[in-house]
């Protein structure tokens, strides 16, 4: 997408991966004609497919490369997940809403992607496969989940929008040592909220 190139949010490798993913398949057919515009759209269960600009920014911030094991929180439409797969990452992704999980899991396989997908609670992460080189949260968290910080590899990075309600700050946590993290604020973000475990 030329618009993304002009925004200079990400490198050519990330742009190439975004360009490879057929975004029109991820949208409801009503919005198909807008699939390659820089906009977010509604998907099932009252959720949204992230704006390409947001996907570009988060993917870039993750600082992961081909072969790295990464964990995504909020599979949603599977679009961000597909971009990470295109970059050769070993993707594990968790979705909290059964309806979306049931739609997206077979759909991504049909498109030829093979991430490991789970129906579960992103606040807990996925400890059995930890540590992860990168963890990317695609919903707005009220605060950073401790479990995700613990499941990060030393040298790894967590990218997470933090804030209450519809607006957050895009924050990264770098794990420098066993109990040492550095945090950085990358500016404004707007994601659907991260849901609590109870509301199944
Ligand atoms: N990455 C997605 C973005 C979807 S919107 C895409 O590219 O389309 C955010 C998603 O996070 C929604 O699907 C929502 O159901 C999910 N979500 C919200 N709270 C969650 C939680 N606690 N654990 C896992 N997923 C969650």
């Amino acid at each position: 997408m030329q618009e993304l190139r002009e925004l200079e949010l990400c490198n050519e490798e990330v742009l190439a991966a975004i360009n490879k993913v057929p975004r029109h398949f991820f949208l409801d057919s009503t919005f198909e004609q807008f699939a390659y515009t820089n906009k977010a759209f509604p998907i099932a269960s009252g959720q949204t497919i992230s704006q390409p600009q947001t996907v570009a920014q988060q993917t870039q911030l993750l600082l992961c490369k081909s072969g790295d094991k990464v964990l995504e929180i909020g599979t949603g439409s599977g679009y961000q997940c597909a971009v990470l797969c295109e970059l050769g990452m070993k993707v594990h992704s968790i979705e909290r809403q059964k309806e979306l999980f049931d739609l997206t899991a077979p759909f991504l396989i049909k498109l030829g992607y093979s991430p490991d997908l789970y129906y579960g609670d992103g606040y807990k992460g996925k400890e059995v496969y930890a540590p992860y080189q990168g963890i990317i949260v695609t919903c707005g968290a009220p605060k950073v989940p401790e479990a995700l910080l613990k499941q990060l590899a030393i040298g790894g990075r967590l990218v997470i929008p933090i804030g209450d309600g519809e607006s957050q700050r895009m924050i990264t946590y770098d794990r420098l040592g066993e109990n040492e993290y550095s945090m950085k604020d990358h500016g404004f973000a707007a994601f659907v909220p991260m849901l609590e475990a109870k509301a199944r």
Side-chain angles (χ1 to χ4, degrees), residues 144-158 172-184:
V144 62
E146 279 297 317
L148 300 186
L149 286 173
K150 288 207 183 88
Q151 290 172 27
L152 209 52
I154 292 173
R157 174 175 265 201
L158 166 65
T172 54
Y173 288 88
D174 290 310
R175 187 168 195 179
L176 308 174
E178 200 46 48
N179 294 307
E180 202 188 339
Y181 295 85
S182 74
M183 190 186 125
K184 199 171 166 205

Side-chain angles (χ1 to χ4, degrees), residues 43 47-50 55 72-81 94-97 100 120-123 138-139 192-197:
I43 53 172
Q47 301 303 312
T48 52
I49 173 170
S50 298
V55 172
E72 178 193 31
I73 309 301
T75 316
S77 70
Y79 180 62
Q80 171 73 71
C81 181
I94 306 175
E95 174 53 52
R96 235 303 261 97
Q97 301 205 65
L100 273 175
D121 178 17
Y123 280 98
T138 69
C139 37
V192 292
M194 189 162 176
L195 305 166
E196 289 294 338

Side-chain angles (χ1 to χ4, degrees), residues 81-101:
C81 181
V83 171
L84 300 176
C85 290
E86 286 286 358
L87 285 162
M89 297 170 199
K90 298 196 180 78
V91 188
H92 297 256
S93 183
I94 306 175
E95 174 53 52
R96 235 303 261 97
Q97 301 205 65
K98 188 76 165 60
E99 185 196 0
L100 273 175
F101 171 80

Side-chain angles (χ1 to χ4, degrees), residues 31-48:
F31 304 112
E32 214 171 289
Q33 55 179 317
F34 306 114
Y36 299 95
T37 58
N38 189 15
K39 291 196 174 70
F41 289 101
I43 53 172
S45 306
Q47 301 303 312
T48 52

Side-chain angles (χ1 to χ4, degrees), residues 111-139:
L111 283 183
Y113 299 111
S114 42
D116 288 308
L117 303 176
Y118 315 98
Y119 166 53
D121 178 17
Y123 280 98
K124 299 195 180 102
K126 195 80 192 166
E127 204 183 349
V128 276
Y129 300 111
Y132 302 94
Q133 195 57 36
I135 302 180
I136 175 172
V137 180
T138 69
C139 37

